[in-house]
Amino acid sequence: HYGISLQFGPNVLMYNTKAFPSKPTSWGAIYDPKNKGKITIPDNPIQIADAALYLSKTKPALGITDPYELTKAQLDAVVSLLKQQRPLIKKYWGLASDQIDLFKNGGSTIGASWPYQVNTLKAAKAPVASVSPKEGVTGWLDTWMLSSKAKHPNCAYKWMQYITQPKPQAQQAVYFGETPVNKKACKIMDTLSKGSCAQYS
C-alpha cells in the first residue's frame, strides 16, 4: 500500500460549561467518580495511551516516558485505571455524532473528544468548551491510503494530488478543527475563518 498524510489533531477534554463553571484542567475528570454517568470517551485504543499519559504525570513512580510504549507493569497499571473508569462511563462513542448527541441532550457533560465535535456543538449554540489538560494530550493523523490491488490507481493518485493542495487542505482543516499538513493552507484558513491558522497550527 501507499499513503499520504492529510491532517492531524489533538484529543481534547470537552466539557459542558454550565455543568463545569470552572474549567477542568486535568484528565482526572474522566476518571473521577463524582462525574459518574456523565463521561463519554472514544471507543478506540487511543484511550490506553490517554490513560498512560495521565498516569505518567500523576504516578511518576511507574516510569512511563512514552504512552505508546509500555512495560508489562505499566500496562497493568493502565488497565487497572481503565477498569476503574468503566462503571463511570455513560457511553463509549464510536461516531462523532454519538458524542454530539449526548452533549446536546445533556446525557454527557464531560469527555475525551476531537475539535470537530467541539466546533459542531458550538455552532449549534451548545454550552461547550475544550481544554488541553495539564498532563498533555495525545493526537492522531488522518492518512489517505492506496491499496496495491486498487482497480483504478490513477484516479486515486489524482484524488491525492487534489486533496493535498492548499485550498482543500484549508477547507478540511477549518471544518474538522484539524491541522493541515500543507503549510500553504494556513493563509487560506484565515480567509475562511479568522484566526483559524493560529488556533489549529
Side-chain angles (χ1 to χ4, degrees):
H1 63 265
Y2 166 82
I4 54 165
S5 299
L6 183 68
Q7 308 269 335
F8 57 95
N11 294 304
V12 297
L13 180 63
M14 181 168 66
Y15 63 98
N16 180 303
T17 54
K18 291 182 178 177
F20 293 87
S22 297
K23 72 177 181 181
T25 59
S26 169
W27 284 114
I30 63 171
Y31 305 107
D32 191 335
K34 74 179 182 184
N35 295 321
K36 182 177 182 178
K38 294 294 182 178
I39 302 166
T40 176
I41 60 172
D43 185 12
N44 64 38
I46 199 71
Q47 287 309 298
I48 298 169
D50 280 0
L53 178 64
Y54 173 70
L55 288 177
S56 74
K57 306 298 182 184
T58 57
K59 294 192 176 179
L62 288 169
I64 298 173
T65 56
D66 184 339
Y68 300 101
E69 290 191 26
L70 305 173
T71 65
K72 176 69 166 65
Q74 292 167 345
L75 180 61
D76 287 346
V78 169
V79 169
S80 177
L81 177 63
L82 292 173
K83 284 181 177 178
Q84 292 170 43
Q85 181 194 45
R86 186 168 187 159
L88 311 178
I89 300 295
K90 172 74 173 184
K91 183 173 184 174
Y92 292 93
W93 56 269
L95 300 172
S97 57
D98 294 339
Q99 190 181 43
I100 289 167
D101 289 344
L102 280 168
F103 269 77
K104 274 185 178 177
N105 66 30
S108 179
T109 57
I110 193 160
S113 189
W114 302 330
Y116 171 74
Q117 287 95 300
V118 178
N119 292 346
T120 302
L121 285 161
K122 282 184 175 180
K125 307 298 183 192
V128 301
S130 67
V131 294
S132 293
K134 62 185 179 182
E135 296 89 5
V137 297
T138 57
W140 42 266
L141 175 68
D142 284 341
T143 305
W144 280 102
M145 304 298 290
L146 173 61
S147 169
S148 60
K149 297 177 182 177
K151 291 183 179 180
H152 304 286
N154 289 339
C155 288
Y157 282 124
K158 284 186 179 294
W159 169 254
M160 290 180 179
Q161 287 170 354
Y162 165 76
I163 203 64
T164 53
Q165 292 175 23
K167 185 176 179 182
Q169 282 267 301
Q171 291 169 324
Q172 183 162 345
V174 170
Y175 182 78
F176 284 105
E178 301 175 325
T179 301
V181 295
N182 188 329
K183 293 179 182 179
K184 293 180 180 177
C186 205
K187 284 184 180 179
I188 301 170
M189 288 172 68
D190 282 337
T191 65
L192 298 172
S193 178
K194 189 175 181 181
S196 61
C197 180
Q199 183 179 0
Y200 299 127
S201 294

